Amino acid sequence: MTTNGENGISAFYEEDENLKKLCNFLRSAEGPAVREAIEMEKRVYYLKGEKLVNFMVEPKKGTKWPSNLPRFESRQQAITVCKDLCKFQFMHRSEKRGKGDLVVSRVRDFDEGGYFTWMYEGDKTFSHLMTTGLIAGFLFCTCFPIWPNFLKVFVWYLSVSLLIFIFLLITVRAFMFLLIWILGYEFWFLPNLFDETLSFVDSFKPVYSFEKCKAGQLPYRIGVAVSFFSFCWWAVTQPSEFDGFVAAQGDFLKDLYAGTLLSDMSQQDKENIDKPKVQPLDDLLKSLDNEENDPGIEDTSEEEEIDNLLDNLVDTDEDIEVEED
């Protein structure tokens, strides 16, 4: 016998908009885990019906269920809603043909033992905003030559500061690891910082890792320690060479921030955008008048120039023969 609460939940999820809200939650990061596969030459996400029902009845620990969606009180309620999801084509049943390879099943009904592929892609508002921002950013960058000078200077300083920060972060991480590794432990600050398989937020988790070195690394640690402390001794006992290196790095940073390492022609091109790129007509007419009035310039045709060149070559050959005689 069904209760009023069960009837209310079933009636709530009969509306298409409420089903979309539920699918938005199920397709979010808070939803059940899904797997990737290829179906009809497209990448899709699928999960087993049993896992979907289990999540809807009893979500995983730490899941924040939306306040505008009523919770399911029984498995039968969840199964009924899953049937509606298949009926309204939010998902469809699939069959495994191989590892990571799915085909659409001829059976359309929901069953906890089957595999179901999401057809609903979720709320695309964030994706649309990101696409709009990407296009706007691309157009903004392509207009760099006509940016005002103060904005280009700001972007230059920001880029240089970010580059220096990344370089210092990598150097400090490596230096800290080296010192502690020599003592027999492995310490990494932000160990997953450069892990491309993780998301942006997960790349900063955990903040650090500290483990004991594996056995058999003692000879390598001794060799690295000798090399490292030898370099430190050289830097202390040869201050003139090391100070020159430090001074050169300081000059490099000054030139980098001043923008003198690379010439910025875009601002000059912007200032001269209205200036003609060819010689003015008045200057051309003056040069022609000067050529006509100059008595030292004779009008010669192309054939006459070639004849003069051949005569000069013949005269040169005759002079060489006379010298040999």
Side-chain angles (χ1 to χ4, degrees):
M1 182 175 180
T2 60
T3 62
N4 293 331
E6 293 179 352
N7 292 332
I9 294 175
S10 300
F12 178 84
Y13 286 111
E14 286 179 357
E15 298 183 8
D16 186 64
E17 290 298 324
N18 294 332
L19 280 178
K20 286 185 179 180
K21 293 179 182 179
L22 177 63
C23 289
N24 288 334
F25 168 66
L26 296 176
R27 297 287 285 120
S28 66
E30 294 285 342
V34 295
R35 296 181 180 180
E36 293 186 8
I38 301 298
E39 185 179 77
M40 299 178 64
E41 299 182 356
K42 291 179 60 178
R43 185 174 299 275
V44 295
Y45 298 92
Y46 74 98
L47 75 168
K48 198 171 184 179
E50 183 181 4
K51 292 185 178 180
L52 178 59
V53 174
N54 291 339
F55 178 86
M56 294 169 67
V57 176
E58 187 177 356
K60 58 186 178 181
K61 187 177 181 181
T63 301
K64 186 177 180 181
W65 191 272
S67 58
N68 59 346
L69 296 177
R71 295 285 298 270
F72 295 93
E73 299 177 356
S74 64
R75 295 185 66 85
Q76 188 58 41
Q77 288 181 352
I79 292 174
T80 302
V81 173
C82 289
K83 291 181 178 180
D84 291 338
L85 294 179
C86 294
K87 178 181 178 181
F88 294 107
Q89 297 184 354
F90 287 96
M91 59 171 56
H92 67 261
R93 188 166 181 172
S94 301
E95 294 180 1
K96 273 192 173 183
R97 188 167 56 181
K99 186 176 181 181
D101 188 12
L102 299 177
V103 293
V104 179
S105 175
R106 295 182 179 180
V107 181
R108 303 297 183 183
D109 297 334
F110 181 83
D111 184 5
E112 292 189 53
Y115 294 95
F116 294 87
T117 301
W118 281 108
M119 299 174 63
Y120 182 70
E121 296 182 356
D123 189 4
K124 306 298 291 184
T125 303
F126 180 75
S127 177
H128 294 331
L129 291 176
M130 291 294 293
T131 303
T132 303
L134 180 63
I135 295 174
F138 175 77
L139 295 176
F140 186 70
C141 292
T142 55
C143 295
F144 181 80
I146 61 175
W147 285 10
N149 192 39
F150 76 91
L151 187 58
K152 290 194 291 185
V153 171
F154 170 76
V155 173
W156 175 262
Y157 281 2
L158 181 64
S159 302
V160 171
S161 301
L162 181 62
L163 178 63
I164 294 175
F165 172 76
I166 294 176
F167 177 77
L168 290 178
L169 177 62
I170 296 174
T171 304
V172 170
R173 287 178 75 247
F175 186 75
M176 294 173 60
F177 172 81
L178 181 63
L179 289 180
I180 299 178
W181 179 72
I182 291 175
L183 300 177
Y185 296 91
E186 293 183 357
F187 174 81
W188 279 112
F189 176 68
L190 299 177
N192 297 324
L193 183 61
F194 300 106
D195 192 344
E196 298 179 354
T197 61
L198 300 177
S199 62
F200 177 78
V201 177
D202 293 337
S203 298
F204 298 93
K205 298 177 182 179
V207 178
Y208 69 91
S209 64
F210 188 83
E211 299 177 355
K212 191 174 182 180
C213 292
K214 297 180 180 179
Q217 295 184 357
L218 182 60
Y220 302 103
R221 300 206 312 269
I222 294 176
V224 172
V226 171
S227 302
F228 175 74
F229 289 112
S230 298
F231 172 78
C232 294
W233 178 83
W234 170 83
V236 173
T237 57
Q238 302 291 331
S240 59
E241 297 182 12
F242 190 74
D243 291 344
F245 172 76
V246 174
Q249 296 303 314
D251 294 338
F252 173 78
L253 292 177
K254 291 180 181 179
D255 293 338
L256 193 61
Y257 271 102
T260 56
L261 289 179
L262 298 174
S263 60
D264 185 8
M265 298 299 297
S266 58
Q267 183 65 23
Q268 182 179 353
D269 293 339
K270 177 189 173 185
E271 294 174 353
N272 299 332
I273 192 172
D274 295 327
K275 294 183 180 180
K277 301 296 188 298
V278 296
Q279 191 174 4
L281 181 59
D282 295 339
D283 295 341
L284 289 174
L285 293 175
K286 289 180 181 179
S287 62
L288 291 175
D289 292 339
N290 293 333
E291 291 178 359
E292 292 177 356
N293 298 328
D294 191 353
I297 300 177
E298 299 179 354
D299 295 335
T300 58
S301 63
E302 185 177 355
E303 295 180 357
E304 292 177 350
E305 292 179 357
I306 295 175
D307 292 338
N308 293 332
L309 180 60
L310 293 174
D311 293 340
N312 292 332
L313 291 175
V314 172
D315 295 339
T316 303
D317 293 337
E318 292 177 353
D319 293 339
I320 294 173
E321 292 177 358
V322 171
E323 291 177 359
E324 290 178 354
D325 294 339

